[in-house]
Amino acid sequence: MSLGAISLHEALVKSCDTVFYKAGYEEWLRDGGKTPKAKVKEPMPNMAKAYGFGKRTGIDLPGESAGRIPTRAWKLDLYNSTKSEMCKRAKIGYPDMKDQSRAAFAKRLANENCLEGMIFHAYEAVNLSIGQGDVLVTPLQLARAYAALLGDGNVRSPRVGWALMRPDGTLKQEIPVPIMGHLPVNDETRTYIRKALSEVPSDGTAAGAFRGFPMNVVKIGGKTGTAEVYGKEDTSWFASFAPADNPRLVTVVMVAQGGFGASTAAPRRGASGRGSSASARETTASRSSRRFRTANR
């Protein structure tokens, strides 16, 4: 379905990928395309990193993943560390792989990576612009980014523990929430984005999931998302916040192999708002956002 000429506001509401494809491609060209300049700007990867993506949040729990934001430097490092193996596989393939079609695909991919794995291609920049391709993000990272966007602009390291208490119930020590950075985005721009995302559940890609939801009681904003993994069903995402006009809570729902964000994750968020139980991942993200909320006041 063609939406014609649209604004950035509508592109966010309707989740129009092509608008962001164009932005990602034009930025890639300005950095030199396939033959990069000596000093590239890479505004999209750098902005993603400013939101805290591509590194651990520092939450007081073990085993956290850093995620990944692909850049030209990352691609070159990957090529240098895998070139010998990729060139070897380009010749012999993957004879031990049982799925022949997947083995054939892997061999073609190895050949491509052997020959030009050092190049950051246009399609990679385009994929990055919508969070696909080599981008890796955790639900907690997304919750933290939304908390910064919708709060005071500070990127915080979430904490499960709030305080240390004595056996008699009195406070011994509060556990502070460290501020790790500040978004390089002014208040006007953050408000613009919040207002656009506030229309997603009512007029955008999540409208079907929130049909019948009492928006006049609690207005919800959010964004649907769909992550792709080769050989598996899509991962369904929905990041939301409420109340939309003055956010106090952030909730992120991720359903592995759940399909489109509007098909699974958003309906689950809508249902939880009506009183049904929430998933473990959703609850974890929501608890983290409560700590952000307190720190933002």
Side-chain angles (χ1 to χ4, degrees):
M1 179 180 69
S2 174
L3 296 175
I6 62 174
S7 64
L8 178 59
H9 178 101
E10 190 173 1
L12 288 168
V13 175
K14 303 297 184 183
S15 198
C16 184
D17 287 352
T18 53
V19 170
F20 303 98
Y21 289 164
K22 187 172 187 292
Y25 178 64
E26 288 179 349
E27 289 180 0
W28 177 80
L29 286 176
R30 282 195 289 270
D31 274 338
K34 286 188 175 182
T35 54
K37 298 176 181 178
K39 188 175 182 180
V40 294
K41 293 184 177 180
E42 297 189 302
M44 280 193 177
N46 287 331
M47 181 61 75
K49 290 178 180 180
Y51 272 86
F53 297 115
K55 57 187 175 185
R56 295 179 177 86
T57 67
I59 189 171
D60 47 344
L61 290 173
E64 183 184 14
S65 172
R68 180 171 62 223
I69 297 299
T71 62
R72 292 176 185 268
W74 167 83
K75 186 71 183 294
L76 182 58
D77 288 343
L78 181 65
Y79 172 73
N80 290 331
S81 63
T82 61
K83 178 183 177 182
S84 59
E85 178 65 15
M86 288 297 100
C87 292
K88 172 185 172 183
R89 291 297 181 179
K91 294 179 180 178
I92 68 172
Y94 296 82
D96 297 332
M97 195 175 288
K98 294 180 180 180
D99 187 334
Q100 293 302 306
S101 62
R102 184 164 186 166
F105 172 78
K107 184 179 181 180
R108 291 196 302 272
L109 187 61
N111 184 64
E112 177 184 326
N113 288 331
C114 174
L115 296 176
E116 51 183 43
M118 76 296 290
I119 299 174
F120 193 74
H121 293 277
Y123 70 82
E124 293 173 287
V126 167
N127 272 334
L128 170 66
S129 73
I130 59 166
Q132 296 280 11
D134 290 301
V135 175
L136 293 176
V137 171
T138 70
L140 187 60
Q141 286 176 329
L142 193 59
R144 175 169 79 155
Y146 268 73
L149 173 68
L150 302 164
D152 57 7
N154 286 327
V155 179
R156 292 176 167 83
S157 178
R159 290 293 178 267
V160 174
W162 287 49
L164 300 178
M165 310 298 292
R166 297 186 179 91
D168 62 2
T170 59
L171 175 67
K172 179 181 179 181
Q173 177 187 341
E174 286 192 2
I175 298 176
V177 180
I179 295 176
M180 311 303 290
H182 188 81
L183 297 181
V185 182
N186 60 38
D187 292 346
E188 181 182 3
T189 301
R190 291 195 295 112
T191 298
Y192 181 96
I193 297 171
R194 177 185 59 77
K195 287 183 176 180
L197 297 180
S198 297
E199 295 181 17
V200 172
S202 58
D203 302 303
T205 51
F210 282 87
R211 186 175 293 113
F213 189 89
M215 289 289 186
N216 60 323
V217 179
V218 179
K219 186 178 180 182
I220 292 177
K223 185 73 185 73
T224 57
T226 305
E228 299 176 353
V229 179
Y230 181 80
K232 296 182 179 181
E233 296 297 322
D234 293 338
T235 295
S236 178
W237 287 81
F238 186 66
S240 64
F241 54 92
D245 295 331
N246 185 27
R248 296 176 55 239
L249 295 171
V250 169
T251 300
V252 173
V253 180
M254 184 193 79
V255 182
Q257 301 196 68
F260 295 129
S263 303
T264 306
R268 183 160 182 78
R269 177 62 187 92
S272 69
R274 297 184 183 97
S276 66
S277 62
S279 69
R281 288 190 178 92
E282 178 185 357
T283 304
T284 300
S286 183
R287 284 174 180 165
S288 299
S289 69
R290 285 201 290 269
R291 188 52 169 156
F292 289 131
R293 176 194 66 191
T294 303
N296 283 342
R297 282 180 173 175

